[in-house]
Amino acid sequence: MNDTIPILEQFIEPSPVRFTPEAPGWHVLEIGLLLLLLLAIFFVYRNYRKNKYRRTAINWLENKEKQLINNNNYSGLVYTADMLAKQIGIQKYGKENVASLQGREWIDYLNKNCPSVTFSTADEQLIRSVYNPDIMPDKQQAVDFTVKIKQWIKKHRV
């Protein structure tokens, strides 16, 4: 047993392996990945800034919704949500394309620019009821319409 120990002492221990890449291809890959990361950050930030109007509109509508529901003004809620959608439409698609739309044309326009949210004939009648003092929408109708408008604001195509 003592004979094997002197043999083991003669071995030369190799130098430790470095964990940094030496080949130039690794440096090119690192730079490429860094550029991709910076590009991704740029696009995410640009998209965030581009959609600021959506976040602002939804926050404004939510505040207005609370205020109008507390006052039991459901016609005002429908009117406010509809006018906000129209203002956004005018801003994003042009006054000449949106300002004159009403009734079925307005509903078709909303559906065309956001297929994931479907506005119906009932929504059209709800909007028309705002201008008729004899017809008052109930709370659930107003809230449902406002939810649809919020979804439209979030998802409409620009």
Side-chain angles (χ1 to χ4, degrees):
M1 204 185 249
N2 288 341
D3 295 335
T4 59
I5 293 176
I7 294 173
L8 290 176
E9 291 175 358
Q10 295 174 4
F11 286 112
I12 301 172
E13 189 176 324
S15 61
V17 177
R18 295 178 55 197
F19 288 103
T20 57
E22 294 294 325
W26 287 110
H27 295 297
V28 170
L29 183 63
E30 288 170 352
I31 291 171
L33 290 174
L34 181 64
L35 288 175
L36 280 174
L37 178 66
L38 290 174
L39 193 63
I41 289 170
F42 168 76
F43 283 118
V44 166
Y45 179 70
R46 187 178 75 171
N47 190 44
Y48 178 79
R49 283 186 52 212
K50 187 172 78 171
N51 289 318
K52 181 181 180 189
Y53 78 94
R54 294 177 197 255
R55 292 186 305 277
T56 303
I58 289 170
N59 286 336
W60 182 84
L61 184 56
E62 286 174 348
N63 290 334
K64 206 68 166 155
E65 180 180 14
K66 289 175 190 171
Q67 177 186 4
L68 292 168
I69 287 175
N70 287 339
N71 294 333
N72 295 324
N73 186 354
Y74 307 124
S75 288
L77 179 57
V78 171
Y79 176 80
T80 300
D82 185 49
M83 286 298 108
L84 180 60
K86 190 157 270 205
Q87 287 173 351
I88 290 171
I90 289 170
Q91 180 185 10
K92 294 298 173 183
Y93 300 103
K95 184 178 180 179
E96 60 282 345
N97 297 326
V98 179
S100 64
L101 297 178
Q102 55 185 323
R104 189 75 230 160
E105 290 176 334
W106 174 239
I107 296 298
D108 291 342
Y109 167 84
L110 291 171
N111 288 332
K112 181 182 83 171
N113 288 300
C114 186
S116 64
V117 180
T118 304
F119 291 90
S120 64
T121 306
D123 295 317
E124 177 186 353
Q125 292 169 351
L126 187 64
I127 294 169
R128 288 182 192 270
S129 75
V130 170
Y131 302 102
N132 186 348
D134 298 332
I135 303 173
M136 292 296 291
D138 66 18
K139 180 179 179 179
Q140 192 58 48
Q141 290 174 316
V143 169
D144 290 346
F145 181 75
T146 305
V147 167
K148 284 184 181 180
I149 292 293
K150 287 179 198 173
Q151 290 173 343
W152 185 87
I153 291 169
K154 286 179 188 174
K155 299 177 181 180
H156 72 275
R157 288 180 261 166
V158 180

